[in-house]
Amino acid sequence: MPRRHLHVTGAAQAPLRAALAALRTALDVPPQFPADVLAEAERAAAAPRLPAHDATGVEFFTIDPPTSTDLDQAMHLERRPGGGYRVHYAIADVAAFVTPGGTLDAEAHRRVTTLYFPDEKTPLHPALLSEGAASLLPDQPRPALLWQIDLDADGAITATDVRRALVRSRAKLDYEGVQRQIDAGTAPESLALLRDIGTLREQQEVARGGISLNVPEQEIVEHDHRYDLTYRAPLPADGWNAQISLLTGIAGAQLMLAYGTGILRTLPSAPDGAVARLRRSAKALHIDWPHHVPYAAVVRSLDPREPNHAAFLQECTTLLRGAGYTVFTGHAEPQLAVHAAVAAPYTHCTAPLRRLVDRYAGELCLAAVAGQDPPDWVAAALEGLPKEMAAGTSRANTVERECVDIVEAALLKDRVGEVFEATVVDVKEQQPAVGTVHLTDPAVVARIEGGDRPLPLGERLRVRLTQADPGTTKILFAPA
C-alpha cells in the first residue's frame, strides 16, 4: 500500500542529520544489532537450509530502486502454450536463515519492520543477510519460496502453487530502465510481458472495485548549493510491478482461506465522514468528483504529475487508516476478510526481508499447498502477530510522519520570512482562519494560521513562512 516515500540525493545538511539522529533516539530505534545476533547471522549466512528443488535454470530478474540491495522478489513471466500467462515469483526465504527461538528470531520480533529514514535505514535483519546472503542479488544462487501463478487470457488466477526452491536472478533492473526498454520495444519477452500482465491485473482491479494510489514520492534534491523538495511521479512500470506483488498476496490469501488457517491484511471500508472530508479536499483542489462517480474511478483519472492531483492523492491515503492483520484458525471464517483498497482477501507475503509477518504467511501458504499442518513455531506465534505488527507499523508510520516534518523544516530553515505561492486545501470548521496549504515548489504541505479572515478554501494564496526549526518545531505559514 502506498506510503509517502522520502529520499535524499546528495549530502544532507548537518541540521537535518542531527534532527534525524535525535528522532531515532526519541523513538528508541535500535542503533545496531547485538553481537550475539550478528554472530548467529554469520553462521546462518555460511550454512543456510537449502531446498532440494533446483530452479536456477529459470531466468529471474528483480525490479527495485537503483540503490536497493535488500531484494525480496524476483520474477519470470511467460505465456502459457494453451493461452494465458504464467508468473514465476521468487520470494527470499528468510526461514532458511532464521532459526525459530534463536537470537535472530527474537531480534526480528523486537524490530518487526525495516524503518526507512531519509538518510539511512534500520533493517529488520542484519545487512549480511538482508543485503547479502538472503537477498535475491543477481548471479547468486539463493533459497526462495517459488510461487507459480497461472492466469487466463484476462489475467484472472486459475492455479497457484508455492514450494521451496533454489533460484538465481539474472539481472537487477530499476523502474526507469524497465520503462525505457518496454517503451522502446527492446525488452526481452519475459520483461515485456510485465506491461501485458500488469495491465490485465489493473483491469481486474477495476472490475473488483479496488484501487492503487499512485502517490508521488517526495525527493530532496540539491542544486545551486541548496536543497529543495520536489515530487517524483510513479511510472507505469511502478504500477505493473506492484500488481505482481498484489497478485501474489491475493493468491496467498485464497490458499489460506481454503486451508482454514492464516493471517490476512485487512482494511474496513472508510466511514462516511472520511469520504465526506475527502470530497471537500477534492473540491478545494478543483478535482472533479460528481456524486454518482465512485471514489476509485476518480482516483484512476488522476495524473500524479499534476500538482493538485498529487496533493489529492496524498490526501487519499487517509482512507487507508484502520488497516490491520486478521488471524483465523480451525476453518473459522474471519469476520473481516477483505482489504477495502484491494477489494479482495489479501495477505502480506512478498517482503520477508523487511516485514516480520511475511515469513509466517509464506510458511502458511507452503503448508496449505502441501496439505500439512503449519510448523509449530508458526502456530505458536500466530495469535500474537497482529499485535506485534500493529506496534511495529505504528512506529514505522510515526517515523514517516516525523521525517517529513523534519526534512521540511531543515530544508526551509533559512527561508523564514519568504513568501510562497500556495493552495488552501483544508480549513478547520471551527477555526476558519486555520488550515492547510499545499505548495508546489517546494513540494510541501503544511499548517497555516495567524490571519484575521477565513481562509479561501481551494483558492491560491500567497503565504509567508513564519517558522522552520528541524527537531523542535514544524514548519508554519501565515497569510502574506
Side-chain angles (χ1 to χ4, degrees), residues 361-430:
E363 294 298 324
L364 288 167
C365 291
L366 287 168
V369 169
Q372 300 173 348
D373 291 337
D376 291 342
W377 60 271
V378 173
L382 199 55
E383 184 178 352
L385 274 177
K387 185 176 180 179
E388 288 183 90
M389 291 305 303
T393 302
S394 176
R395 180 161 65 172
N397 290 341
T398 299
V399 166
E400 180 182 304
R401 291 193 304 270
E402 294 296 326
C403 283
V404 169
D405 291 340
I406 287 171
V407 167
E408 290 176 342
L411 301 187
L412 291 174
K413 73 179 186 65
D414 295 327
R415 302 179 71 179
V416 173
E418 286 190 32
V419 173
F420 301 82
E421 294 291 331
T423 300
V424 180
V425 297
D426 194 20
V427 175
K428 285 187 174 292
E429 293 184 15
Q430 304 303 319

Side-chain angles (χ1 to χ4, degrees), residues 294-307:
Y295 155 75
V298 173
V299 171
R300 279 190 288 270
S301 71
L302 301 178
D303 183 351
R305 294 169 296 183
E306 296 291 330

Side-chain angles (χ1 to χ4, degrees), residues 352-374:
L353 292 176
R354 293 168 282 167
R355 197 169 45 209
L356 176 66
V357 70
D358 298 51
R359 172 159 50 108
Y360 290 85
E363 294 298 324
L364 288 167
C365 291
L366 287 168
V369 169
Q372 300 173 348
D373 291 337

